[in-house]
Amino acid sequence: MVDFRPFRAVRYSEAAGPLDNLICPPYDVISPAAERELLGRSPHNMVRMELAELDGPPPPGRYDDAAAALRSMLDDGLLARDDAPAYYLLRQRFAAAGVERERHCLFGALHLEELGDGVLPHENTAAGPKEDRLALMRAAHANFSPILMLYRDATGSIARTLAEATAAPPAAEFAVSGEQYALWLVRDPSAIEAVHGALADEKLYVADGHHRYETSLVYREEAQDGADMVLTGLVAFDDPGLLIQPYYRVVHGASPSQMEKLEQMLLFYFVSRPSGTPPGEPGQLDAVVATLGQGQAVLGVVRNGTPPRLLTPANDIIPEPDPEAPPETQVRSVEAFVLQEMLFRPVFGDDFPDHVTYVHDGAEAMAMVERGEGQAAFFVKGLPADVFRAVVGAGIRLPRKSTYFYPKLPSGVVINLLDGSA
């Protein structure tokens, strides 16, 4: 049973300055350079507590400093805790590929349970990020960034409830990096009951934040009061603004024999033809792959010195996407699965991660090949939401970096204190 509750969030007060200068992305997309830029906007920026992605051993004081920043800002009134529990509804307006979109996310406190029943993961995790996030939780006793999960709103009852909430003026509005945000507090008892009841018998699908969720499970075993809840943001599967973008794969460090074997396997599984797009135009290649990929698995391949090519299945080993097919069949139409399990693992063995770099930006993937840092780049389409739901709902974990849910949920809009008080 899913138990998704309202909570008393800690939020920035007016004394901290405009929210535009205080909100940051989640840690896994914050580089050291981005961290400096965020702190340049405001010394109170959320990055002081969220911290940048760790590259190497943690510097001395990394976690204690974050915890001290939280305590200091609470003591100084820059952060303040709301006086009553609420759900927090965030509207994100953003542009992607020239199209304006709008996505709604509902923040609350989710009761932790082991993965695999009410809460379904879609990828495996690595030890390093979990160690980093656990050290931060131990020091600060707080959730600074929400885990993104997806849910089904089969009857539309949650959508209707949230639409009623947005009829009122928002409690806050701000803009960060070209994205427009509005925040509403949902405190009406009937609205809270409607949301809580509608979700109770549903399953939640982890979209972004697997490391933080598994870290919270470990922290729960160590701590006591308040440790059984985790800050979570929920987006409906049928939200028009739900956007799943791809990660591109760049192969590097392969020996001539390995590249020859990879080429042979590509010729066995796929038919190759010109893409009709010129070198150095990743947007055009993306568009062709996305269009053709609506009815089949498609790979765009970039090699240095030659125009990009398109690969389409040569036989029924790689099936056409079919929402009515068993999930075990549907996963074989997912390009990330095809690349990892049918190509990279047979060529490189279990060491395939040493030869594959995952890049979210198609222009960077193409540039890596042009610079000689990669031997081939593979362009894929974003994973369709219905395929994601079918495969993950069947308990099948997708390859690492199969999805990029865009945009990331911001950190600092709401903070969840793990102190046991509601």
Side-chain angles (χ1 to χ4, degrees):
M1 175 178 175
V2 168
D3 185 5
F4 182 70
R5 308 177 191 173
F7 72 110
R8 293 172 56 215
V10 169
R11 297 188 289 140
Y12 279 108
S13 68
E14 291 184 0
L19 282 173
D20 311 55
N21 298 327
L22 299 170
I23 304 303
C24 76
Y27 77 101
D28 58 352
V29 292
I30 303 176
S31 66
E35 182 179 28
R36 292 190 294 270
E37 192 274 331
L38 289 164
L39 290 173
R41 297 181 192 177
S42 170
H44 311 308
N45 189 280
M46 185 64 205
V47 76
R48 286 186 63 190
M49 294 166 278
E50 174 69 357
L51 305 177
E53 186 172 30
L54 191 61
D55 183 16
R62 171 178 168 88
Y63 308 109
D64 289 341
D65 289 349
L70 172 63
R71 291 192 295 269
S72 174
M73 284 193 248
L74 284 168
D75 291 343
D76 294 342
L78 303 177
L79 290 170
R81 196 170 196 183
D82 287 337
D83 57 4
Y87 290 127
Y88 300 82
L89 177 60
L90 183 70
R91 183 186 67 203
Q92 294 176 274
R93 288 178 172 166
F94 60 98
V99 178
E100 297 293 328
R101 291 175 176 262
E102 182 175 292
R103 186 178 76 181
H104 291 82
C105 180
L106 188 66
F107 295 131
L110 176 66
H111 187 270
L112 286 162
E113 61 177 83
E114 294 299 322
L115 290 168
D117 187 11
V119 179
L120 306 176
H122 83 264
E123 66 179 15
N124 294 313
T125 56
K130 288 188 287 188
E131 293 170 359
D132 174 61
R133 294 296 98 180
L134 181 58
L136 180 60
M137 289 182 70
R138 285 169 173 163
H141 308 294
N143 300 140
F144 295 126
S145 59
I147 296 167
L148 174 60
M149 298 193 188
L150 307 181
Y151 68 95
R152 291 179 66 252
D153 185 18
T155 65
S157 61
I158 298 178
R160 290 189 293 272
T161 300
L162 299 185
E164 292 174 2
T166 59
E173 292 182 279
F174 55 99
V176 182
S177 301
E179 296 174 10
Q180 306 292 323
Y181 297 88
L183 183 71
W184 288 266
L185 277 62
V186 181
R187 283 179 170 162
D188 180 81
S190 61
I192 289 174
E193 182 179 356
V195 171
H196 187 269
L199 289 171
D201 294 326
E202 291 293 333
K203 295 183 183 295
L204 300 182
Y205 299 69
V206 182
D208 193 9
H210 290 79
H211 292 94
R212 282 168 280 160
Y213 192 90
E214 291 186 14
T215 295
S216 295
L217 292 173
V218 175
Y219 181 82
R220 180 185 64 177
E221 299 305 313
E222 298 180 354
Q224 295 181 3
D225 290 342
D228 59 346
M229 310 299 291
V230 63
L231 176 60
T232 302
L234 300 185
V235 173
F237 269 108
D238 58 359
D239 189 308
L242 178 62
L243 180 60
I244 308 177
Q245 294 184 335
Y247 275 97
Y248 308 87
R249 272 74 170 151
V250 181
V251 173
H252 57 85
S255 67
S257 62
Q258 288 173 327
M259 287 302 295
E260 182 180 354
K261 183 176 181 180
L262 179 60
E263 185 64 31
Q264 290 174 349
M265 299 189 73
L266 288 172
L267 291 173
F268 174 74
Y269 288 119
F270 295 95
V271 174
S272 176
R273 61 182 173 160
S275 68
T277 66
E281 294 291 341
Q284 293 187 35
L285 183 58
D286 264 329
V288 172
V289 168
T291 299
L292 288 180
Q294 293 180 17
Q296 61 187 326
V298 176
L299 302 178
V301 184
V302 176
R303 296 183 178 88
N304 200 0
T306 61
R309 299 189 68 81
L310 289 176
L311 303 180
T312 53
N315 47 57
D316 58 5
I317 297 176
I318 301 173
E320 293 183 358
D322 179 3
E324 302 301 322
E328 296 79 5
T329 301
Q330 291 193 52
V331 75
R332 290 194 289 111
S333 70
V334 175
E335 287 88 348
F337 178 88
V338 172
L339 283 166
Q340 176 172 299
E341 299 302 328
M342 301 173 67
L343 296 169
F344 296 156
R345 196 182 297 278
V347 171
F348 301 113
D350 290 340
D351 294 331
F352 72 87
D354 296 338
H355 297 279
V356 181
T357 296
Y358 304 91
V359 183
H360 173 55
D361 182 23
E364 175 59 18
M366 191 172 281
M368 289 177 67
V369 174
E370 293 171 351
R371 295 193 300 262
E373 298 171 10
Q375 294 156 292
F378 292 90
F379 278 53
V380 299
K381 67 176 182 288
L383 183 64
D386 57 348
V387 175
F388 176 93
R389 188 173 67 203
V391 171
V392 177
I396 300 172
R397 296 207 187 193
L398 293 163
R400 181 170 175 262
K401 303 294 186 183
S402 294
T403 59
Y404 188 98
F405 288 85
Y406 183 85
K408 293 274 189 174
L409 285 180
S411 299
V413 177
V414 290
I415 297 170
N416 178 40
L417 296 184
L418 301 172
D419 60 2
S421 57

